[in-house]
Amino acid sequence: MKVLSVASEVFPLVKTGGLADVVGALPAALKPLGVNMRVLVPGYPAVMTALASGKTLHRLDDVFGGPARIVLGDVAGMELMALDAPHLYDRPGNPYVGPDGKDWPDNAFRFAALSAAAADIGRGALKTWIPDVLHLHDWQAALAAVDVRHRGGPRTVVTVHNIAFQGQFPASVFPRLGLPAAAYSIEGLEYYGNVGFLKGGLASADMITTVSPTYAREICTPEFGMGLDGLLRARRHNTIGIVNGIDTGVWNPGTDKALPATYAATTIARRKDNKRELEKHFGLEGGDGILHGVVSRLTWQKGLDILAGLLDWLVASGARLAVVGTGEPGIEGAFAAAAQRHKGRIAIAARYDESLSHLIQGGADTMLVPSRFEPCGLTQLYGLRYGCVPVVARTGGLADTVIDANEAALAAGVATGFQFSPVDEPSLQNALQRAAHLFGAAPAEWKRLQGNGMAADVSWDRSAAHYAALYKTMKG
Ligand code: ADP
Ligand code: GLC
């Protein structure tokens, strides 16, 4: 079984969020199941550096205004292919925006090029490696499903990692996408008079997956579907939710190089050294009181404006908070201002810092994830694995992966964290109170919570098997 996984990010080369982690982890998780997965990403500078000694498999004369080639190399244990098209991808900034923080004006064509390359590979462009299935992640790759529907190719599956990002462009881009005129229809790319890459992909793909069963249900409702719920309801028999796993090699508290003290469930007392290091790093007062952690994009989706509204109360209650994250200026500013008001109690590292994210997981007492919606969420899974007890909104993948420490679950000895609903200030406050109470008054219970989390299966094993089974039924 050969599968081409197509995406705009891949860990460890290019990452703005969980998509990169998932795309980077899937090939190794699928290998033992007999799936040979190659990954295709745009040839951004970091990717081309990693593929410096890669092999050119295919050349194209004109891909949206310049020459391009497909390069293959072995990177971080995966068979990585890049669409090397310097006129589209050899730019500073992140995959989507320039250094000024604005979307690249030609994003429609940058990702149409990625999708076109995927569809071509699907139709045999590489000759020696022809995929049985194209696995297309998010809007940046979704157009390949439209292409294949009109021009032929292998089976396609589109995975929705976040329906808030849909790749919508004015209808005027359509004639330049190089697709047959029939693709611009209500059953295809047309979306309220615009072009919708994700919409077209969802309408055209053989199968749709999303990254948790709860989110698969939620996106069929107007509240979470962001305009695509009607289409998703119509396709619900071809839609499944498969919860993400994590790379348990990269995220292993027993070997993690970012931690001063590595540990296992049986040696969890050693986490204290990491907490001390975390305090030092963030300039927080030392102490055994509860220290909350956040590792996140600071956006409305993540509900961190709600947490920002509770910071004065949080400090008055005796808690401390360490945040690593960047995002919306209003939310970032609220945390920065609180850090000024409460020196030694609240601190924020307003940057992207992979190793600091590990230190928070390995040293903080909780991982706060108060998301308004969350397709899967990975930071709560890292939290479980690291004994950093997740406090999460009851939505999407958060609802599916954390067992709330209510009375019954505590009595049964199965709880792994705290859930709250609705996603608002009073109920987050209540969850924080419950966590602080258990932490302070029942250390043995708290330790049990940590142990349960660390014992939970957050690996890819089960979910990779679901994907492998899906590919198999698609191939027929
Ligand atoms: P999303 O993809 O919606 O941002 P996820 O929880 O699925 O949410 O994945 C977020 C990923 O990005 C995790 O690997 C998390 O550790 C990482 N991350 C987010 N913000 C930062 C940051 N400021 N520094 C380091 N890692 C971060
Ligand atoms: C998206 C979602 C997040 C999910 C990640 C990987 O970024 O926001 O919930 O974990 O994709 O699937």
Side-chain angles (χ1 to χ4, degrees):
M1 171 75 67
K2 296 191 192 69
V3 179
L4 181 64
S5 173
V6 188
S8 57
E9 306 186 11
V10 62
F11 182 85
L13 302 177
V14 194
K15 168 169 165 179
T16 72
L19 169 66
D21 291 358
V22 171
V23 172
L26 265 177
L30 286 162
K31 201 173 182 171
L33 303 171
V35 178
N36 169 216
M37 176 174 271
R38 285 189 184 178
V39 176
L40 176 72
V41 293
Y44 312 114
V47 172
M48 294 323 298
T49 305
L51 286 175
S53 53
K55 194 170 143 202
T56 300
L57 300 182
H58 187 58
R59 286 188 189 277
L60 301 129
D61 297 336
D62 183 14
V63 174
F64 296 101
R69 59 187 185 123
I70 290 168
V71 187
L72 167 72
D74 200 3
V75 176
M78 82 189 112
E79 292 177 65
L80 182 70
M81 297 200 291
L83 176 63
D84 180 27
H87 62 294
L88 298 175
Y89 308 127
D90 186 11
R91 302 179 188 181
N94 86 9
Y96 320 109
V97 304
D100 60 358
K102 293 209 178 89
D103 282 354
W104 294 110
D106 58 349
N107 271 350
F109 306 110
R110 294 174 75 229
F111 295 108
L114 178 71
S115 298
D120 282 345
I121 293 171
R123 287 186 289 264
L126 304 184
K127 303 214 170 59
T128 52
W129 194 88
I130 304 174
D132 301 297
V133 173
L134 296 182
H135 188 159
L136 310 166
H137 300 273
D138 278 351
W139 73 264
Q140 293 89 353
L143 214 54
V146 181
D147 191 321
V148 164
R149 172 161 139 198
H150 289 277
R151 296 213 184 96
R155 295 302 168 109
T156 56
V157 49
V158 168
T159 294
V160 178
H161 292 267
N162 193 332
I163 210 158
F165 304 113
Q166 300 187 354
Q168 283 187 45
F169 301 97
S172 57
V173 307
F174 180 74
R176 294 160 63 201
L177 292 177
L179 290 167
Y184 189 70
S185 69
I186 294 188
E187 296 78 37
L189 270 183
E190 195 275 338
Y191 188 52
Y192 297 112
N194 293 323
V195 160
F197 279 31
L198 183 64
K199 189 262 171 173
L202 294 177
S204 307
D206 293 302
M207 286 296 294
I208 298 168
T209 73
T210 185
V211 287
S212 69
T214 295
Y215 195 61
R217 286 192 298 276
E218 287 173 342
I219 53 178
C220 289
T221 67
E223 191 189 347
F224 290 96
M226 306 218 174
L228 293 173
D229 47 289
L231 170 60
L232 286 160
R233 277 195 300 279
R235 298 224 57 196
R236 68 184 178 283
H237 299 300
N238 299 95
T239 304
I240 56 173
I242 301 177
V243 76
N244 288 329
I246 66 170
D247 187 324
T248 49
V250 175
W251 294 93
N252 181 352
T255 57
D256 195 324
K257 297 221 162 36
L259 303 181
T262 54
Y263 58 93
T266 48
T267 54
I268 200 154
R270 302 176 59 185
R271 272 184 111 253
K272 237 189 202 139
D273 294 351
N274 301 331
K275 190 166 172 178
R276 296 290 93 84
E277 178 65 24
L278 189 58
E279 288 160 350
K280 224 166 71 199
H281 192 102
F282 276 91
L284 292 170
E285 291 166 9
D288 289 332
I290 196 162
L291 170 51
H292 300 291
V294 169
V295 179
S296 187
R297 296 185 285 121
L298 303 180
T299 63
W300 184 87
Q301 174 194 342
K302 299 292 177 180
L304 289 165
D305 52 315
I306 304 172
L307 177 62
L310 287 168
L311 294 178
D312 293 335
W313 166 80
L314 198 72
V315 170
S317 77
R320 290 164 297 157
L321 171 69
V323 180
V324 55
T326 57
E328 288 161 19
I331 304 180
E332 212 177 290
F335 281 99
Q340 280 301 318
R341 284 198 304 281
H342 303 291
K343 285 210 167 71
R345 311 290 302 175
I346 292 180
I348 172 168
R351 62 174 184 276
Y352 193 92
D353 189 330
E354 194 76 28
S355 116
L356 196 52
S357 76
H358 284 244
L359 182 61
I360 294 191
Q361 297 284 7
D365 298 304
T366 70
M367 177 57 39
L368 307 183
V369 196
S371 307
R372 289 190 170 86
F373 67 95
E374 196 62 75
C376 180
L378 297 177
T379 55
Q380 85 282 7
L381 300 180
Y382 302 143
L384 290 171
R385 176 129 168 96
Y386 277 63
C388 183
V389 176
V391 179
V392 304
R394 186 176 294 126
T395 187
L398 301 172
D400 292 341
T401 55
V402 174
I403 301 173
D404 179 57
N406 54 48
E407 241 176 80
L410 282 174
V414 296
T416 59
F418 298 86
Q419 291 193 347
F420 65 93
S421 171
V423 189
D424 60 15
E425 234 180 79
S427 86
L428 171 58
Q429 183 172 22
N430 182 261
L432 291 167
Q433 268 164 343
R434 286 165 61 213
H437 179 73
L438 201 74
F439 180 86
E445 289 278 14
W446 187 267
K447 207 171 149 193
R448 181 95 190 254
L449 228 55
Q450 291 178 299
N452 288 346
M454 292 181 80
D457 182 8
V458 290
S459 76
W460 268 108
D461 293 352
R462 211 173 330 158
S463 300
H466 283 302
Y467 279 116
L470 173 70
Y471 302 146
K472 217 163 153 189
T473 53
M474 288 174 70
K475 191 183 168 193

